[in-house]
Every structure is written in C-alpha cells, then in structure tokens.
C-alpha cells in the first residue's frame, strides 16, 4: 500500500487466468499468475521495486541515490526498470555467463552502465560491492533476492491472488507452485500466505532444476549448503546458496520441494508456448512442466479435479523463439516420457518420438 507522498509502485497488478489447456493436462484446476507481464518481464520488479522505494523513503538524500545491482539478468533488468520509474539512475554488474541480448535489454531499459565481469554471480557481486560501491558515496546496493523489503514486495503477489480468486468466486487456492533460485520469491509467497485467511491450508510446491537445486539439497541435509557450481540451463535459478530465510520458512511451512531435469524444464517452455502463447525461460518452464505427464499428481497425490492450483508464471527475459526451437531439437526426446493427451493442443504439436527425436 502506497502512502500519501510515497514513491509509486514500479510494478503492476498482473492477471490471474484459469487455463483450460493446462487444467486438462494436469487433471485439476490450473490458474496462471502472469508475472511475465510485469514491466521488466518478471516478478523481480515486485521485490526489487519495493526495496528501491524503501531506500528512497528512508534515505537522507534520496535525490542523490544511485542504485547498483548485481544480477544474472532478470534482477538487473528489474532494478533498472524500477529505478527509471522512480527517476533514479542504476548500474548493473553481470557475470560473463550473461548473454549479449540480455545485456542489450538492460541497457535499452535505461541502465547507466552494464559491467560484465566474473565467472558467476558471486564474483560479479563481489566486484560491485568492493570496487564500485567503494567509489560512490551515493551508491546504494540492491541485492537480487536476499533482503526483507524484497520479500515484502514479493508477498504482494499473494495479496493479489487472494483478491482475484475472490473476484472469480473462489475461496482461496489449494496449492501454489513456484520455482526457487535464491529464495526471494518463495519467501514472499510464504509471508503472503502467512497473513491470508486460506494460506494456512495452502500447500506450496517449490521447484528447481538439477544442477541449480540449492534449496532441495539444503532441505535434504537439514542445513543451508552451497552448491559447488550451477550446471543447469536454468541459469536464472543459479544461486549456489539459497537465502537462510527462505530455507527457514520452507521448513516452517513444510514446503514440498522437487527437482526436475533441464529437459523437463525446456519441455515446459515449449508446451506453455503452444498451449497458452506464452514464452518463458526454463526457470519458469519448470513450473509449467509439472502440469504434463502426471507429474503434478505424482508430487501431490491428494489433488482432485476440483483442486485449485496457482502456478506463478514468473517470466524472464533470456529466451526467444530461436531458443525454444533449440530446446525442442535438443530435448524433444522427453516427450516420450510424457503421457499424451489428445485434448491438450501441445500434445499434437509436441516433438514426440514419432518426429524422430531420441535420447
């Protein structure tokens, strides 16, 4: 809620759409929270935009602030988009693994500068904090996921879902599905559910991909662990260490954690494109993937045809049509492991075994 005289929200209220195609595929009622429609292309602008607003409200000289964000891409894009909306400059530091088209998007969004350095996000972040911020007294650090104001901003997603379900005549959801990188989105979702009337009865399914599963590994070992590296194609889930708060909340709320393969995440991308004309990256495609081939009911066997499942279409700006074509060519064999439902449009267009793909 914005108070009088406060900076405006840089994010928008996104649609909540019940999907007939994904419901048919999953065997329950699937609602899509379309965060891909945010101004920055992902949910990231909720949390980061809220953090920027917090600094502008609490800083002694807000008109002098220059924001600095370290990111693999989407957080940086969100930071620049939000900073521009709030009339402040922003600089982004990305690792060498960030693709040129993402760098171009961040620059076009209005970044003062995009610096590419370091083998991974941790090295890029270290350079930002130890070198850039040390030279700028007006500089304000913007982490991509690990800050209470980021979690608070992300929790607005659940407030919207509650309002939108009520408008559609529904009394809450039974399950919320989201993907996990550093844990900023998960923390916000759990905070939002914690203050919702129906949240105490709502299950949360947290999804990761193999090679980017820091939360899952931490829950298995009952302590936060650091992955040696990120080996998944879902690079925007590429936090080698999940936030402590996300880990603690996941245990408190008994979050169901699951890990899918890169092939399944890629399948989720092309299936979502075919069924709903929505293009997302693997970090989001992993959420759609559970709707196909009985995966969701295997993870949550108590679901019924009337169960209401909200899938956070978290978005992402690092994929286009050419990437989806590459995914279908490389991972098309995964369709052989997916139950085929002729009533689901993407079944008919999927690159299944009949099209000559093999593992």
């Amino acid at each position: 809620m914005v108070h009088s005289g406060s900076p405006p929200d840089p994010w928008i209220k996104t649609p909540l759409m019940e999907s007939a195609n994904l419901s048919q595929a999953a065997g329950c009622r699937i609602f899509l929270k379309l965060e891909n429609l945010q101004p920055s292309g992902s949910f990231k602008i909720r949390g980061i935009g809220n953090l920027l607003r917090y600094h502008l409200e609490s800083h002694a000289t807000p008109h002098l602030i220059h924001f600095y964000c370290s990111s693999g891409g989407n957080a940086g894009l969100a930071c620049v988009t939000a900073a521009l909306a709030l009339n402040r400059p922003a600089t982004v530091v990305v690792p060498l693994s960030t693709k040129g088209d993402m760098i171009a998007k961040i620059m076009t969004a209005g970044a003062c500068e995009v610096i590419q350095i370091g083998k991974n996000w941790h090295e890029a972040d270290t350079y930002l904090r130890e070198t850039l911020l040390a030279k700028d007294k007006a500089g304000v650090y913007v982490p991509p996921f690990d800050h209470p104001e980021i979690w608070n901003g992300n929790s607005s997603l659940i407030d919207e879902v509650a309002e939108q379900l009520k408008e559609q005549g529904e009394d809450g959801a039974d399950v919320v599905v989201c993907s996990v990188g550093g844990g900023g989105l998960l923390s916000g979702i759990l905070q939002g559910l914690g203050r919702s009337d129906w949240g105490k009865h709502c299950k949360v399914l947290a999804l990761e991909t193999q090679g980017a599963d820091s939360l899952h590994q931490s829950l298995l070992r009952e302590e936060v662990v650091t992955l040696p590296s990120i080996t998944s194609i879902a690079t925007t889930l590429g936090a080698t260490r999940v936030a402590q708060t996300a880990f603690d909340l996941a245990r408190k709320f008994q979050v169901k954690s699951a890990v899918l393969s890169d092939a399944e995440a890629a399948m989720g991308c092309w299936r979502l494109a075919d069924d709903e004309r929505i293009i997302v990256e693997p970090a989001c495609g992993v959420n759609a993937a559970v709707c196909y081939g009985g995966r969701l009911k295997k993870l949550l066997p108590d679901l019924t045809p009337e169960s209401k499942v909200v899938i956070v279409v978290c978005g992402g700006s690092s994929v286009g049509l050419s990437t989806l074509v590459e995914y279908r060519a490389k991972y098309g064999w995964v369709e052989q492991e997916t139950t085929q439902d002729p009533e689901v449009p993407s079944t008919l267009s999927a690159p299944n075994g009949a099209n000559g793909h093999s593992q």
Side-chain angles (χ1 to χ4, degrees):
M1 180 72 68
V2 179
H3 302 287
S4 177
S6 298
D9 292 340
W11 64 91
I12 65 171
K13 180 179 179 179
T14 57
L16 179 71
M17 177 188 75
E18 186 167 5
S19 169
N21 291 331
L22 270 67
S23 297
Q24 176 66 32
C28 56
R29 298 178 66 188
I30 299 294
F31 293 79
L32 303 178
K33 182 59 172 167
L34 300 179
E35 289 296 286
N36 57 305
L37 298 181
Q38 289 289 355
S40 67
S42 80
F43 78 95
K44 288 281 188 180
I45 198 168
R46 287 185 186 269
I48 288 177
N50 192 60
L51 177 60
L52 267 56
R53 289 179 65 250
Y54 165 78
H55 282 301
L56 291 173
E57 290 179 318
S58 60
H59 202 279
T61 55
H63 61 288
L64 298 178
I65 285 179
H66 187 128
F67 292 110
Y68 290 84
C69 181
S70 57
S71 166
N74 289 318
L77 188 55
C79 178
V80 170
T81 304
L84 186 65
L86 297 170
N87 298 310
R88 297 311 313 145
T91 293
V92 179
V93 180
V94 299
L96 296 173
S97 58
T98 301
K99 296 180 180 179
D101 58 346
M102 175 60 83
I103 294 174
K105 289 177 183 178
I106 297 173
M107 286 299 301
T108 302
C112 292
E113 187 178 9
V114 179
I115 299 171
Q116 191 170 27
I117 190 170
K119 292 181 295 183
N120 51 45
W121 169 77
H122 178 74
E123 291 186 3
D125 184 67
T126 300
Y127 174 81
L128 184 154
R129 289 184 289 105
E130 296 182 358
T131 302
L132 294 184
L133 282 176
K135 298 177 181 178
D136 189 348
K137 294 182 179 180
V140 171
Y141 175 61
V142 180
F145 57 83
D146 197 1
H147 193 284
E149 292 301 328
I150 290 179
W151 312 328
N152 289 339
N154 288 337
S155 72
S156 66
L157 185 151
I158 293 298
D159 297 336
E160 287 182 13
V161 167
E163 178 183 345
Q164 291 166 320
L165 285 173
K166 187 175 181 180
E167 290 172 351
Q168 297 177 34
E170 305 293 345
D171 185 21
D174 299 299
V175 180
V176 173
V177 179
C178 72
S179 52
V180 179
L185 176 59
L186 177 64
S187 297
I189 286 174
L190 293 174
Q191 285 187 9
L193 289 174
R195 61 174 180 259
S196 170
D197 292 337
W198 48 269
K200 66 186 72 159
H201 306 297
C202 182
K203 297 178 180 179
V204 175
L205 175 59
L207 297 174
E208 297 170 285
T209 53
Q210 293 170 3
D213 51 343
S214 57
L215 174 66
H216 191 74
Q217 294 299 325
S218 297
L219 291 173
L220 287 176
R221 302 182 192 185
E222 300 185 338
E223 63 178 353
V224 176
V225 300
T226 301
L227 300 179
S229 63
I230 300 298
T231 58
S232 171
I233 63 171
T235 55
T236 51
L237 297 182
T240 56
R241 186 178 180 88
V242 72
Q244 182 70 47
T245 295
F247 172 75
D248 292 339
L249 288 174
R251 297 187 72 186
K252 176 182 177 181
F253 285 88
Q254 297 183 321
V255 167
K256 173 71 174 179
S257 170
V259 180
L260 273 63
S261 67
D262 279 351
E264 290 173 301
M267 178 268 290
C269 293
W270 73 64
R271 284 267 187 155
L272 191 61
D274 286 348
D275 282 333
E276 295 296 345
R277 305 168 307 285
I278 296 173
I279 296 179
V280 298
E281 57 189 45
C284 180
V286 68
N287 296 334
V290 293
C291 292
Y292 302 100
R295 291 174 174 85
L296 187 56
K297 287 195 172 182
K298 287 178 183 177
L299 293 170
L300 300 171
D302 292 336
L303 291 177
T304 71
E306 297 304 314
S307 297
K308 291 166 288 187
V309 177
V310 174
I311 292 182
V312 180
V313 183
C314 47
S317 300
S318 66
V319 68
L321 288 174
S322 61
T323 308
L324 291 186
V325 171
E326 293 173 4
Y327 287 162
R328 291 174 78 124
K330 183 175 182 180
Y331 298 113
W333 56 264
V334 76
E335 290 287 357
Q336 299 176 28
E337 302 175 358
T338 300
T339 303
Q340 305 300 311
D341 185 341
E343 295 186 25
V344 178
S346 63
T347 297
L348 305 178
S349 58
N352 54 36
N355 289 340
H357 293 286
S358 62
Q359 187 173 357

